[in-house]
Amino acid sequence: MSNALLEVRALNAWYGESHVLHGVDLDIREGETVTLLGRNGAGKTTTLRAIMGILRRREGAIRLRGRDLLALPLHRVAQTGLGYVPEERGIFASLSVEENLALPPKVADGGMSIEEIYHLFPNLYERRHSQGTKLSGGEQQMLAIARILRTGASLILLDEPTEGLAPVIVQRIGDVLVALKERGMTILLVEQNFRFARKVADRFYLMEDGRMVNSFPGNELDSHMDELHSVLGV
Ligand SMILES: Nc1ncnc2c1ncn2[C@@H]1O[C@H](COP(=O)(O)OP(=O)(O)OP(=O)(O)O)[C@@H](O)[C@H]1O
Ligand SMILES: [Mg+2]
Protein backbone atom coordinates (compact mmCIF):
# COMPACT_ATOMS: atom_id res chain seq x y z
CA MET A 1 0.00 0.00 0.00
CA SER A 2 1.75 3.15 -1.16
CA ASN A 3 -0.51 5.94 0.11
CA ALA A 4 -0.21 4.92 3.76
CA LEU A 5 0.01 7.58 6.45
CA LEU A 6 1.88 5.16 8.69
CA GLU A 7 3.91 2.39 7.14
CA VAL A 8 5.61 -0.29 9.23
CA ARG A 9 7.88 -2.72 7.40
CA ALA A 10 9.64 -5.84 8.66
CA LEU A 11 9.73 -4.44 12.18
CA ASN A 12 11.72 -6.40 14.72
CA ALA A 13 11.94 -5.26 18.33
CA TRP A 14 13.62 -6.47 21.49
CA TYR A 15 13.34 -5.94 25.23
CA GLY A 16 16.99 -6.32 26.10
CA GLU A 17 17.93 -9.71 24.63
CA SER A 18 14.33 -10.81 24.35
CA HIS A 19 13.20 -10.72 20.71
CA VAL A 20 9.49 -9.87 20.76
CA LEU A 21 8.45 -8.52 17.34
CA HIS A 22 9.35 -10.64 14.32
CA GLY A 23 8.95 -8.79 11.03
CA VAL A 24 5.74 -6.85 11.64
CA ASP A 25 4.14 -5.14 8.61
CA LEU A 26 1.36 -2.62 9.13
CA ASP A 27 -0.24 0.12 7.03
CA ILE A 28 -2.65 2.81 8.10
CA ARG A 29 -4.15 5.20 5.60
CA GLU A 30 -5.20 8.74 6.42
CA GLY A 31 -8.56 8.75 8.22
CA GLU A 32 -8.60 5.02 8.70
CA THR A 33 -9.34 3.19 11.94
CA VAL A 34 -7.25 0.05 12.15
CA THR A 35 -7.68 -2.45 14.97
CA LEU A 36 -4.93 -4.72 16.16
CA LEU A 37 -6.22 -7.94 17.72
CA GLY A 38 -4.27 -10.62 19.52
CA ARG A 39 -4.23 -12.51 22.77
CA ASN A 40 -2.28 -11.53 25.92
CA GLY A 41 1.41 -11.34 25.19
CA ALA A 42 0.98 -11.34 21.39
CA GLY A 43 2.98 -8.11 21.07
CA LYS A 44 0.25 -5.48 20.62
CA THR A 45 1.52 -3.03 23.23
CA THR A 46 5.08 -3.68 22.08
CA THR A 47 4.06 -2.71 18.54
CA LEU A 48 2.72 0.64 19.81
CA ARG A 49 5.79 1.22 21.98
CA ALA A 50 8.08 0.44 19.07
CA ILE A 51 6.18 2.85 16.79
CA MET A 52 6.40 5.61 19.41
CA GLY A 53 10.08 4.92 19.96
CA ILE A 54 9.68 4.18 23.68
CA LEU A 55 11.15 0.80 22.88
CA ARG A 56 14.43 1.69 21.23
CA ARG A 57 15.90 -1.62 20.13
CA ARG A 58 14.25 -1.90 16.73
CA GLU A 59 15.10 -2.90 13.18
CA GLY A 60 13.05 -2.46 10.03
CA ALA A 61 11.21 0.65 8.92
CA ILE A 62 8.56 2.91 10.44
CA ARG A 63 7.50 5.80 8.22
CA LEU A 64 4.94 8.50 8.96
CA ARG A 65 4.00 10.48 5.82
CA GLY A 66 7.13 8.98 4.34
CA ARG A 67 9.35 10.24 7.14
CA ASP A 68 11.56 7.72 8.91
CA LEU A 69 10.64 7.56 12.61
CA LEU A 70 13.37 5.10 13.53
CA ALA A 71 15.95 7.82 13.22
CA LEU A 72 14.11 10.29 15.47
CA PRO A 73 14.86 10.74 19.16
CA LEU A 74 11.89 9.95 21.41
CA HIS A 75 11.02 13.56 22.19
CA ARG A 76 10.71 14.34 18.47
CA VAL A 77 8.27 11.54 17.69
CA ALA A 78 5.24 13.19 19.34
CA GLN A 79 6.02 16.34 17.35
CA THR A 80 5.27 14.44 14.15
CA GLY A 81 1.59 14.33 15.17
CA LEU A 82 1.60 10.88 16.68
CA GLY A 83 -0.33 10.59 19.96
CA TYR A 84 -0.18 7.64 22.34
CA VAL A 85 -2.71 6.68 25.00
CA PRO A 86 -1.04 3.89 26.96
CA GLU A 87 -2.85 1.05 28.69
CA GLU A 88 -2.08 2.64 32.07
CA ARG A 89 -3.65 5.91 30.81
CA GLY A 90 -1.03 8.34 32.11
CA ILE A 91 -3.10 11.14 33.56
CA PHE A 92 -1.94 13.29 36.46
CA ALA A 93 -3.75 11.76 39.43
CA SER A 94 -3.17 14.70 41.75
CA LEU A 95 -4.47 17.29 39.29
CA SER A 96 -8.05 18.15 38.39
CA VAL A 97 -9.62 17.25 35.07
CA GLU A 98 -9.31 20.85 33.93
CA GLU A 99 -5.65 21.02 34.91
CA ASN A 100 -4.98 17.75 33.11
CA LEU A 101 -6.56 19.27 30.00
CA ALA A 102 -4.60 22.50 30.29
CA LEU A 103 -1.16 20.87 30.41
CA PRO A 104 -0.63 18.86 27.21
CA PRO A 105 1.81 20.55 24.85
CA LYS A 106 0.67 21.51 21.38
CA VAL A 107 2.44 19.41 18.75
CA ALA A 108 0.44 20.49 15.71
CA ASP A 109 -2.40 22.77 14.67
CA GLY A 110 -5.92 21.44 14.96
CA GLY A 111 -5.88 20.33 18.58
CA MET A 112 -9.26 20.51 20.30
CA SER A 113 -10.08 23.43 22.56
CA ILE A 114 -11.19 22.69 26.11
CA GLU A 115 -14.73 23.66 25.02
CA GLU A 116 -14.64 21.10 22.21
CA ILE A 117 -13.37 18.48 24.63
CA TYR A 118 -16.25 19.17 27.02
CA HIS A 119 -18.69 18.96 24.13
CA LEU A 120 -17.30 15.54 23.16
CA PHE A 121 -17.04 14.33 26.77
CA PRO A 122 -19.90 15.89 28.79
CA ASN A 123 -18.95 13.85 31.84
CA LEU A 124 -15.51 15.44 31.90
CA TYR A 125 -17.23 18.82 32.03
CA GLU A 126 -19.29 17.70 35.01
CA ARG A 127 -16.14 16.41 36.72
CA ARG A 128 -13.88 19.29 35.66
CA HIS A 129 -12.94 20.22 39.24
CA SER A 130 -12.41 16.61 40.39
CA GLN A 131 -8.97 15.26 41.01
CA GLY A 132 -7.69 12.45 38.77
CA THR A 133 -7.74 9.97 41.65
CA LYS A 134 -11.47 10.57 42.18
CA LEU A 135 -12.41 9.65 38.63
CA SER A 136 -13.92 6.32 37.63
CA GLY A 137 -11.93 4.07 35.29
CA GLY A 138 -14.09 5.21 32.37
CA GLU A 139 -13.60 8.88 33.20
CA GLN A 140 -9.85 8.35 33.49
CA GLN A 141 -9.83 6.70 30.07
CA MET A 142 -11.80 9.56 28.55
CA LEU A 143 -9.45 12.07 30.14
CA ALA A 144 -6.43 10.18 28.80
CA ILE A 145 -7.89 10.31 25.28
CA ALA A 146 -8.94 13.94 25.71
CA ARG A 147 -5.41 14.95 26.70
CA ILE A 148 -4.06 13.56 23.43
CA LEU A 149 -6.80 15.30 21.44
CA ARG A 150 -5.65 18.60 22.95
CA THR A 151 -2.18 18.22 21.39
CA GLY A 152 -3.22 18.30 17.75
CA ALA A 153 -2.07 14.73 17.10
CA SER A 154 -3.61 13.45 13.88
CA LEU A 155 -2.81 9.75 14.35
CA ILE A 156 -3.60 8.31 17.74
CA LEU A 157 -2.54 4.97 19.14
CA LEU A 158 -5.00 3.63 21.72
CA ASP A 159 -4.04 0.67 23.86
CA GLU A 160 -7.10 -1.29 25.04
CA PRO A 161 -9.22 1.74 25.93
CA THR A 162 -12.19 -0.40 27.01
CA GLU A 163 -10.30 -2.79 29.28
CA GLY A 164 -12.06 -3.30 32.60
CA LEU A 165 -14.86 -0.84 31.84
CA ALA A 166 -18.61 -1.34 32.24
CA PRO A 167 -20.61 -1.95 29.03
CA VAL A 168 -22.30 1.46 29.15
CA ILE A 169 -18.89 3.17 29.32
CA VAL A 170 -17.52 0.97 26.55
CA GLN A 171 -20.47 2.14 24.45
CA ARG A 172 -19.63 5.77 25.30
CA ILE A 173 -16.02 5.31 24.23
CA GLY A 174 -17.25 3.72 21.02
CA ASP A 175 -19.33 6.85 20.35
CA VAL A 176 -16.27 9.02 20.93
CA LEU A 177 -14.22 6.98 18.45
CA VAL A 178 -16.99 7.32 15.86
CA ALA A 179 -17.01 11.10 16.42
CA LEU A 180 -13.22 11.24 16.05
CA LYS A 181 -13.42 9.24 12.84
CA GLU A 182 -15.97 11.70 11.50
CA ARG A 183 -13.49 14.51 12.23
CA GLY A 184 -10.93 12.71 10.08
CA MET A 185 -8.75 11.35 12.86
CA THR A 186 -6.60 8.34 12.03
CA ILE A 187 -6.69 5.69 14.75
CA LEU A 188 -4.69 2.59 15.59
CA LEU A 189 -6.71 0.75 18.18
CA VAL A 190 -5.46 -2.22 20.17
CA GLU A 191 -8.35 -4.32 21.44
CA GLN A 192 -9.24 -7.78 22.59
CA ASN A 193 -12.93 -6.91 22.42
CA PHE A 194 -13.58 -7.33 18.71
CA ARG A 195 -17.32 -6.91 19.18
CA PHE A 196 -16.57 -3.38 20.32
CA ALA A 197 -13.94 -2.80 17.66
CA ARG A 198 -16.18 -3.88 14.78
CA LYS A 199 -18.23 -0.69 15.17
CA VAL A 200 -15.26 1.47 14.26
CA ALA A 201 -12.67 -0.69 12.51
CA ASP A 202 -12.13 -0.19 8.79
CA ARG A 203 -9.58 -2.96 8.91
CA PHE A 204 -8.33 -5.59 11.32
CA TYR A 205 -4.85 -6.94 11.86
CA LEU A 206 -4.43 -10.19 13.69
CA MET A 207 -1.28 -10.71 15.70
CA GLU A 208 0.20 -13.86 17.19
CA ASP A 209 3.60 -14.39 18.84
CA GLY A 210 5.03 -11.10 17.61
CA ARG A 211 3.91 -11.63 14.00
CA MET A 212 1.03 -10.34 11.89
CA VAL A 213 -0.84 -13.47 10.85
CA ASN A 214 -3.69 -11.87 8.91
CA SER A 215 -5.36 -8.64 7.89
CA PHE A 216 -8.85 -8.12 6.51
CA PRO A 217 -11.48 -5.36 6.06
CA GLY A 218 -13.79 -4.59 8.98
CA ASN A 219 -16.87 -5.84 7.14
CA GLU A 220 -15.30 -9.30 6.71
CA LEU A 221 -15.04 -9.94 10.42
CA ASP A 222 -17.83 -12.52 10.40
CA SER A 223 -16.10 -14.73 7.86
CA HIS A 224 -12.98 -14.82 10.07
CA MET A 225 -14.67 -15.94 13.28
CA ASP A 226 -13.09 -19.40 13.43
CA GLU A 227 -9.63 -17.94 12.98
CA LEU A 228 -10.36 -15.22 15.57
CA HIS A 229 -11.48 -17.73 18.15
CA SER A 230 -8.39 -19.79 17.57
CA VAL A 231 -5.91 -16.87 17.56
CA LEU A 232 -7.55 -15.01 20.44
CA GLY A 233 -8.32 -18.14 22.44
CA VAL A 234 -11.87 -16.98 23.16
N1 LIG B 1 9.25 -4.66 29.69
C1 LIG B 1 9.34 -5.91 29.19
N2 LIG B 1 10.49 -6.62 29.30
C2 LIG B 1 10.58 -7.85 28.77
N3 LIG B 1 9.60 -8.49 28.12
C3 LIG B 1 8.43 -7.84 27.98
C4 LIG B 1 8.24 -6.52 28.50
N4 LIG B 1 6.98 -6.13 28.21
C5 LIG B 1 6.41 -7.16 27.53
N5 LIG B 1 7.28 -8.18 27.38
C6 LIG B 1 7.03 -9.45 26.68
O1 LIG B 1 6.81 -9.16 25.32
C7 LIG B 1 5.75 -9.97 24.79
C8 LIG B 1 4.68 -9.09 24.19
O2 LIG B 1 4.09 -8.32 25.22
P1 LIG B 1 3.03 -7.18 24.94
O3 LIG B 1 2.88 -6.40 26.20
O4 LIG B 1 3.38 -6.45 23.71
O5 LIG B 1 1.72 -8.03 24.67
P2 LIG B 1 0.22 -7.55 24.43
O6 LIG B 1 -0.22 -8.16 23.14
O7 LIG B 1 0.11 -6.09 24.58
O8 LIG B 1 -0.56 -8.30 25.61
P3 LIG B 1 -1.76 -7.82 26.57
O9 LIG B 1 -3.01 -8.12 25.83
O10 LIG B 1 -1.62 -8.67 27.77
O11 LIG B 1 -1.58 -6.36 26.87
C9 LIG B 1 5.28 -10.84 25.94
O12 LIG B 1 5.91 -12.09 25.82
C10 LIG B 1 5.74 -10.10 27.17
O13 LIG B 1 6.00 -11.00 28.21
MG1 LIG C 1 -0.85 -4.85 25.91
Side-chain angles (χ1 to χ4, degrees), residues 14-16 18-21 37-49 55 87 159-160 163 190-192 207 210:
W14 292 258
Y15 289 106
S18 174
H19 190 178
V20 173
L21 298 185
L37 299 171
R39 70 167 75 187
N40 295 116
K44 306 180 298 296
T45 298
T46 304
T47 301
L48 301 189
R49 292 171 62 96
L55 184 58
E87 231 168 339
D159 200 349
E160 303 210 41
E163 196 185 8
V190 163
E191 263 300 333
Q192 299 204 48
M207 189 165 207

Side-chain angles (χ1 to χ4, degrees), residues 134-152:
K134 304 271 165 55
L135 302 177
S136 70
E139 288 164 342
Q140 288 180 21
Q141 185 62 58
M142 289 179 201
L143 181 56
I145 296 172
R147 280 175 48 81
I148 294 304
L149 299 176
R150 291 276 293 134
T151 64

